[in-house]
Amino acid sequence: MNLLLGITALVSIGVGFLWWYPFELLSHGRVYYFLGSLLITIGILCAWLAGIRWQGTLFFALALLAFNSVWILPWYLPNSHQGRGESLRIIEFNINIQNTQLTRVANLVEQQKPDIAVLIEISPPAMKELTKHLQATLPFAYRTRGGGLAVFSRFGLVNPQGKTLSAGTILTTSVKTATKNITLVAAHPSVPIKPDVFAKRNTALAEVTQYLGYE
């Protein structure tokens, strides 16, 4: 039990403060770290009730559970912005610049019935073909000249453009829905497989955050 608790603590806490490419991949397992720490805490509580008490272990398990809760629980708590006004269905995914199965991409988008679709790594030929496929359901489309970012929308796009930041290009546009205009921003940060690219990714996220603060 103590060994399992130690491993869970190392992984769930370490990915938040250390950088190494495998740790970066492990950061997507927050739900499992939470569930793991919850099960460990329940096991230790059962041991305590049975009279088996490891000094400090229960406190450590509860602290680990609280740490993982901070990352997970906000996702499931009621959001003050939910349920107000018009709702939109938005999908986003990276199709891969080398992807030639564009009909399947278009079919997948249509199956999801989105109001807005943001696709990443779109080449000019891919943009032309996808625009043709999606014309009936998402007639408004725009692709940035750099960065390979594209948006397809059921609603009109107002002033769509690509903005070049120091860490790359982002797509920004207003979308005129039935009741209001909303601002949409799309970005494609670098995959942090090396320390310098990791720093570039963080710079890109910081620049997007700063840009959103001005909007």
Side-chain angles (χ1 to χ4, degrees), residues 95 97 99 102 121-131 152:
I95 73 166
I97 193 67
N99 190 350
L102 299 177
E121 292 197 14
I122 302 290
S123 66
M127 181 66 184
K128 182 178 181 179
E129 184 168 346
L130 287 171
T131 299
F152 300 82

Side-chain angles (χ1 to χ4, degrees), residues 152-186:
F152 300 82
S153 175
R154 184 165 66 89
F155 305 103
L157 303 177
V158 181
N159 193 29
Q161 58 184 304
K163 287 188 174 292
T164 302
L165 307 178
S166 65
T169 300
I170 64 172
L171 184 156
T172 175
T173 183
S174 291
V175 180
K176 186 176 179 59
T177 71
T179 60
K180 58 186 175 181
N181 283 2
I182 63 171
T183 299
L184 182 144
V185 177

